[in-house]
Amino acid sequence: MKFKAHLLSLVLAGMATAGLAGPLDKTECIAGAKPGGGFDLTCKLAQSALLTGKFITDPMRITYMPGGIGAVAYNTIIAQRPAEANTIVAYSGGSLLNIAQGKFGRYNENDVRWVSAVGSDFGAVIVAENSPFKTLKDLVDAVKADSTKVVFGAGGSIGSQDWMKAALTARAAGLSPKSMRFVAFEGGGEAITALQGGHVQVYSGDASEAEEQIKAGAKIRVLAVMSDKRLEGSLASIPTAKEQGMDVDWPIIRGFYVGPKVSDADYKVWVDTFNKMMATPEFNKLRGERGLFKFSLTGAELDAYIKKQVATYRGMAAEFGLNVAK
């Protein structure tokens, strides 16, 4: 009897342990760049919101996997970690733009499972706090006068999201994007560091990461935001590019995907969890604190949106004479 009782207790303990194991147990979020940029911000939003809402019991681990502005993370998840149900990976509109141009190698938008879009951001034109450029017109005038003296920094190489924002701004001002001096960095954190150090004069980044960096003490200033209307919060005083005569609008979605071999059941757990989490006032508050605006899509709806957006970016890349993935 004692042996049977002991055996039963072991079985019950095993069942209890098994019940804990799953996609929301010992979670990890991969940010595809160094700390300080948009991927980092996205992972930290999930980390805070999931724990605050008690959707997970242990803090989510954030892993930084720089390389190709998300390309290394994308390839790693697909090729080496395709079935890890407890690992989500941050993506942005920039990731989709790179996929459209074939910058993620042989993989495309059909090779991962898109879980959620948790918010939207907007492009921003950023300079150092002590920059002589006070308006977008000041910047454009300087580029027109001598384009060799104004160096644009961005997370990513030619054709990246940050490059596209700068190119669209140049085109709207009647300048050729090919005349820009451009320095590529591995993520927004490095670009902002270079901006403060005077290595570049302009950074075509994101409004939310600029806001976060300013809160953290970065000596930077935002000249314009690339949105239809002024943003709320601490950037409310910043005029839009359109207000300053440049018809440039660049919304940026942020969210997460999982590997292609994550089971339907585990994928559904993540989709359901994000749906519940994003419906809470607590999540709205955390999202707003990071300068993100409401944009909530999950599961099949998100998958359809992603496919459409990548097709749009392929067309845009072709217009600028960039490589386009087939």
Side-chain angles (χ1 to χ4, degrees):
M1 289 293 292
K2 286 184 178 180
F3 175 76
K4 288 183 178 179
H6 179 64
L7 181 62
L8 178 61
S9 68
L10 288 175
V11 170
L12 291 173
M15 290 173 65
T17 302
L20 287 174
L24 300 182
D25 180 52
K26 296 181 180 177
T27 54
E28 176 185 8
C29 183
I30 295 177
K34 293 181 180 180
F39 290 139
D40 189 13
L41 179 149
T42 309
C43 278
K44 285 178 178 174
L45 172 58
Q47 181 188 55
S48 297
L50 288 167
L51 193 62
T52 300
K54 298 182 179 178
F55 295 101
I56 57 176
T57 55
D58 297 311
M60 174 175 274
R61 180 162 60 99
I62 297 178
T63 301
Y64 299 96
M65 197 177 290
I69 317 298
V72 170
Y74 203 78
N75 280 262
T76 298
I77 283 296
I78 295 169
Q80 300 174 27
R81 302 167 61 178
E84 289 189 10
N86 61 346
T87 302
I88 59 175
V89 189
Y91 74 88
S92 73
S95 308
L96 307 183
L97 178 63
N98 284 345
I99 289 171
Q101 297 176 66
K103 291 187 175 182
F104 279 17
R106 60 194 178 97
Y107 299 118
N108 61 33
E109 68 274 19
N110 301 306
D111 291 315
V112 298
R113 307 196 73 173
W114 303 98
V115 173
S116 178
V118 295
S120 69
D121 194 1
F122 293 91
V125 181
I126 307 161
V127 296
E129 193 174 65
N130 60 357
S131 170
F133 307 137
K134 306 299 181 185
T135 66
L136 205 51
K137 183 178 183 301
D138 291 342
L139 170 61
V140 170
D141 288 345
V143 176
K144 285 181 176 178
D146 188 347
S147 62
T148 65
K149 291 185 177 179
V150 183
V151 183
F152 288 78
S157 57
I158 290 176
S160 70
Q161 175 175 233
D162 288 352
W163 183 90
M164 289 293 285
K165 286 179 282 191
L168 288 168
T169 302
R171 189 172 71 176
L175 301 167
S176 168
K178 293 180 180 180
S179 69
M180 297 187 308
R181 287 187 63 194
F182 190 84
V183 178
F185 296 97
E186 181 59 50
E190 280 191 6
I192 286 179
T193 298
L195 185 68
Q196 294 178 95
H199 304 294
V200 297
Q201 284 70 55
V202 190
Y203 169 42
S204 49
D206 305 337
S208 63
E209 67 176 328
E211 186 174 40
E212 286 294 296
Q213 291 283 354
I214 290 170
K215 287 178 182 177
K219 303 300 182 182
I220 57 176
R221 182 158 40 85
V222 181
L223 295 185
V225 291
M226 298 175 180
S227 57
D228 278 333
K229 58 184 180 181
R230 292 200 183 195
L231 306 181
E232 299 174 353
S234 63
L235 297 181
S237 63
I238 308 300
T240 66
K242 290 182 178 180
E243 282 181 71
Q244 300 180 69
M246 317 257 173
D247 189 11
V248 182
D249 186 20
W250 192 270
I252 307 154
I253 67 167
R254 296 198 177 280
F256 305 94
Y257 62 84
V258 294
K261 294 185 179 179
V262 170
S263 71
D264 289 346
D266 288 340
Y267 174 73
K268 186 176 185 300
V269 168
W270 276 114
V271 169
D272 291 346
T273 298
F274 272 100
N275 280 331
K276 292 174 185 175
M277 182 184 77
M278 292 191 292
T280 65
E282 292 79 13
F283 177 77
N284 287 335
K285 181 174 182 291
L286 289 169
R287 179 175 55 202
E289 288 173 352
R290 285 156 180 80
L292 294 179
F293 295 83
K294 185 175 181 179
F295 187 90
S296 303
L297 281 179
T298 58
E301 276 188 289
L302 174 65
D303 187 74
Y305 175 89
I306 295 284
K307 306 296 171 57
K308 182 179 178 181
Q309 196 64 28
V310 171
T312 298
Y313 286 146
R314 284 195 179 103
M316 191 177 292
E319 285 180 26
F320 279 107
L322 304 171
N323 291 328
V324 179
K326 296 179 181 179

